[in-house]
Amino acid sequence: MNLEPKSIYKEYTDAVSLKSSIGNRGIYEQSRINERFYVGDQWYGAKCGNDRPLVRHNIIKRIGDYKMSQILSSPVSVKYSADGIPDTHKTSQKATNTKKQIANNPKFRFKDSVDCNEINTVTSALSDYRNVTARRVDFPYLCEKALRKAYVSGSAVIYTYWDGDINTGLYADGSDSTPIKGDINCEVLDIENVYFGDASLEDVQTQPFIIISSLQPVEAVKREAQLFGADEYELSLIGDGDENGKILVLTKLYKEYKINGEYTVKCLKTTEKAFIRKPYDTRLRMYPLALFSWDERSHRIYGESEITYLIPNQIAINRMITASVWASMTMGMPLMVVNGDTVADDITNDPGQIIKIFGSNEDVAGAVKYVTPPDFCDGINQNINGLIENTLEQSGANEAALGDALPNNAAAINALQNAAILPLALVKNRFYGFIGEVSRIWADFWITQYGERKIKIEDENGVWYMPFDTSRYKNLYLTVKVDVSTNSLSSNPQTLEILTELYEKGIINKRQFLKRIPDGTVPDIRGLLSELNEDGETEDDGI
């Protein structure tokens, strides 16, 4: 593999040419058009002038917002486990008890040899730590942003990287004099700025290499190059950038294999002519990019946007509505023909205006006339409504799904809503797999980058810190299970009602009730559970 700046820049330009050839307009231009149609700038470039109102009825945004809200409405949880290690109810309960011991004993240490219980305890703790990390990097917002980009451009990427400037609040020694800095951070990348080495391979992890492009300030680029040992000549090769003082930076990731089949992910940063940072070992075992495609294409890693195929319908709807509005205006305010020889004053549209006319009665009768416009097609509004309804129906966003149907038959409406959501299950499953891939990447960072430190855990034991030594778990292969809760916003009242009934009948106790109520129903639920413990109530306490 040639790793010189010029060869990497050639790989980048080849990938740009490939993207520009995909579809009728190429990924770059199609994404720009889709973005304009999504936000409502739907008459751009139409050259229709400003003489008439250009109406828009944005069904694209309504369909997209509905589908994205459906995907994001169900809470998602992630559980880690280790391949080759039994994970049963009994081992899970034992790991829970061990976590409780660690939480209550800051000086707790595992045995010298790693056993199954330690691994199960660690994977359980990492599942909790994943939630802590998700809150720190604002993962729900990242998911929302990635989902929107995928809807518009076909695909989106969450890129996880090591940020050495993050203050962890932890220390490497007992005297609190050596702070531990550095942790993972995440960024949503536009698919237009991510280039895969082989676009016919649909899996990110099988790619021969990945290039990420970005425009960065020249001064910042040169400072980074100096930090990694660039001399004056190498800095001069970087150049002065464009008129805005920015320069194209290419970050290349690739896997370097050993004779025994093992591999590690390596990385470099370069401009067209000079290295910013020469190849270095990230120690990662996975490419730190997770890809989500709204709609997949066979033998192509770049996804497809639904907007691309909704645009013709959107244009037709806008044109017909505009024509209908313009026809109504010309019928209500038709053109006026004025005889200038007999009308002395200017005529306006003001009601009650007095018009001075000089001449005979015949002159008065012929002074002002209205031009009767041609009859407009009576079925135009029916055609408009039919096209809108058809487009929404074919997109899986009918009236019932959008909440527009009259609530005459709640059961029928509920059945229609469920039927409309079913085709969206394919997109949902891809999105949940995307969340799982991000979670696997995070675990890869924790095991390869953390070294020896404590990790923050928030669970039923409160907030506590567990000792974590990556050297003990470097050979672990963690798998991820993504659980999707059925407790969406619409089902929360029913869930609460059922739990209340179970509690009132004595089937469950206070703790069981509080543990299972929908998230957000009661603030500080963990505090309530802790107070129940302080009052002497246990898991087996009745009502």
Side-chain angles (χ1 to χ4, degrees):
M1 181 181 292
N2 195 334
L3 297 176
E4 291 302 313
K6 288 185 178 180
S7 65
I8 295 168
Y9 185 76
K10 177 65 164 54
E11 291 172 339
Y12 161 74
T13 55
D14 289 344
V16 168
S17 299
L18 174 65
K19 276 189 178 180
S20 300
S21 67
I22 293 176
N24 294 330
R25 296 183 176 91
I27 288 179
Y28 304 105
E29 181 61 22
Q30 190 65 62
S31 295
R32 283 192 287 269
I33 294 172
N34 291 357
E35 174 71 19
R36 286 199 298 267
F37 269 82
Y38 175 77
V39 300
D41 185 13
Q42 297 172 345
W43 287 94
Y44 178 88
K47 298 180 181 179
C48 294
N50 299 316
D51 296 334
R52 64 182 67 187
L54 301 178
V55 184
R56 58 184 180 175
H57 183 92
N58 197 347
I59 61 168
I60 287 178
K61 191 174 193 303
R62 194 168 193 204
I63 293 170
D65 289 352
Y66 159 71
K67 290 188 173 182
M68 287 185 276
S69 65
Q70 283 294 323
I71 294 170
L72 295 170
S73 64
S74 300
V76 175
S77 61
V78 173
K79 180 183 177 183
Y80 292 102
S81 60
D83 269 6
I85 304 298
D87 185 14
T88 64
H89 176 72
K90 186 175 180 180
T91 59
S92 177
Q93 189 59 48
K94 188 175 181 181
T96 299
N97 293 334
T98 304
K99 284 168 59 181
K100 191 171 184 178
Q101 293 177 33
I102 301 172
N104 295 323
N105 181 12
K107 295 184 179 180
F108 179 92
R109 290 291 180 272
F110 288 109
K111 299 175 183 178
D112 290 340
S113 59
V114 180
D115 57 16
C116 291
N117 180 53
E118 178 180 348
I119 293 175
N120 283 327
T121 301
V122 168
T123 54
S124 176
L126 288 179
S127 301
D128 296 320
Y129 183 59
R130 185 256 174 205
N131 298 332
V132 174
T133 301
R135 283 194 293 274
R136 179 175 62 80
V137 301
D138 199 359
F139 191 60
Y141 170 71
L142 294 174
C143 287
E144 179 184 334
K145 190 175 179 181
L147 199 58
R148 183 188 182 281
K149 286 184 179 294
Y151 182 70
V152 170
S153 299
S155 301
V157 169
I158 287 185
Y159 173 47
T160 304
Y161 60 95
W162 185 258
D163 188 343
D165 295 328
I166 293 178
N167 292 311
T168 64
L170 302 172
Y171 294 87
D173 55 356
S175 61
D176 293 349
S177 59
T178 308
I180 296 176
K181 295 188 69 175
D183 211 330
I184 62 173
N185 214 338
C186 294
E187 179 183 359
V188 178
L189 301 179
D190 293 325
I191 194 63
E192 296 91 328
N193 297 328
V194 181
Y195 303 87
F196 297 100
D198 188 346
S200 66
L201 299 175
E202 299 174 24
D203 183 16
V204 171
Q205 297 303 323
T206 60
Q207 291 295 322
F209 64 85
I210 302 172
I211 293 176
I212 303 169
S213 69
S214 61
L215 283 175
Q216 299 181 21
V218 172
E219 294 303 319
V221 170
K222 288 185 176 181
R223 281 196 303 270
E224 185 177 0
Q226 280 183 310
L227 182 65
F228 293 108
D231 56 28
E232 291 298 325
Y233 174 70
E234 291 171 321
L235 292 176
S236 67
L237 290 177
I238 292 176
D240 299 322
D242 58 19
E243 63 273 10
N244 297 316
K246 292 187 176 182
I247 194 169
L248 178 69
V249 174
L250 303 176
T251 301
K252 180 174 180 177
L253 298 156
Y254 61 96
K255 292 180 179 179
E256 185 174 85
Y257 289 83
K258 300 177 182 178
I259 297 177
N260 60 4
E262 294 182 358
Y263 61 85
T264 183
V265 175
K266 288 202 165 184
C267 180
L268 62 86
K269 290 182 75 173
T270 183
T271 62
E272 180 182 355
K273 298 179 180 178
F275 279 116
I276 302 169
R277 185 176 184 182
K278 293 182 179 180
Y280 66 95
D281 189 357
T282 65
R283 306 193 303 278
L284 296 172
R285 297 174 293 191
M286 297 178 65
Y287 284 128
L289 293 94
L291 174 72
F292 169 66
S293 294
W294 188 269
D295 201 1
E296 295 179 333
R297 296 290 296 267
S298 297
H299 308 297
R300 199 176 82 188
I301 195 167
Y302 301 110
E304 196 77 68
S305 170
E306 183 179 10
I307 295 178
T308 303
Y309 303 102
L310 288 174
I311 286 176
N313 291 36
Q314 181 69 71
I315 291 173
I317 290 168
N318 289 350
R319 284 179 173 175
M320 285 196 294
I321 295 177
T322 297
S324 177
V325 170
W326 185 246
S328 299
M329 291 174 63
T330 54
M331 290 289 289
M333 295 180 291
L335 294 174
M336 184 185 296
V337 177
V338 180
N339 187 338
D341 293 332
T342 58
V343 178
D345 298 332
D346 292 335
I347 295 179
T348 67
N349 288 327
D350 294 337
Q353 181 186 6
I354 298 174
I355 304 173
K356 293 180 181 180
I357 298 174
F358 300 94
S360 63
N361 289 338
E362 290 78 7
D363 293 328
V364 172
V368 178
K369 288 184 179 180
Y370 288 98
V371 178
T372 303
D375 292 336
F376 196 63
C377 176
D378 293 334
I380 185 69
N381 289 328
Q382 183 179 349
N383 290 337
I384 293 171
N385 293 332
L387 182 54
I388 292 173
E389 184 180 342
N390 226 3
T391 304
L392 293 174
E393 188 75 32
Q394 293 299 318
S395 300
N398 56 35
E399 285 186 346
L402 294 171
D404 293 340
L406 294 175
N408 297 328
N409 188 332
I413 291 174
N414 188 51
L416 287 173
Q417 288 177 334
N418 292 335
I421 292 172
L422 279 177
L424 197 57
L426 299 175
V427 185
K428 282 186 172 183
N429 289 339
R430 284 196 294 274
F431 184 71
Y432 301 143
F434 169 68
I435 291 177
E437 186 72 358
V438 174
S439 301
R440 275 188 287 272
I441 291 169
W442 288 2
D444 193 24
F445 270 90
W446 297 333
I447 289 177
T448 61
Q449 311 294 320
Y450 267 17
E452 188 174 354
R453 67 165 69 180
K454 291 184 177 181
I455 58 175
K456 182 180 180 181
I457 308 296
E458 294 182 21
D459 60 8
E460 63 273 10
N461 299 309
V463 179
W464 52 282
Y465 290 83
M466 190 187 82
F468 185 68
D469 185 357
T470 58
S471 63
R472 297 172 68 88
Y473 317 118
K474 61 183 179 180
N475 295 322
L476 283 183
Y477 181 76
L478 296 183
T479 57
V480 171
K481 179 184 178 183
V482 179
D483 289 323
V484 183
S485 172
T486 57
N487 287 335
S488 63
L489 293 176
S490 60
S491 66
N492 283 353
Q494 292 91 332
T495 302
L496 191 58
E497 183 179 344
I498 293 171
L499 287 172
T500 302
E501 186 176 347
L502 291 173
Y503 174 74
E504 289 174 347
K505 290 181 177 180
I507 299 173
I508 61 174
N509 60 30
K510 294 177 184 177
R511 291 183 60 84
Q512 291 170 327
F513 177 85
L514 291 173
K515 278 186 173 183
R516 289 164 178 80
I517 63 174
D519 291 339
T521 305
V522 177
D524 192 20
I525 196 71
R526 284 182 178 153
L528 280 176
L529 290 169
S530 178
E531 289 170 13
L532 285 176
N533 285 337
E534 292 173 1
D535 291 339
E537 298 196 22
T538 64
E539 291 282 349
D540 297 327
D541 285 336
I543 300 174

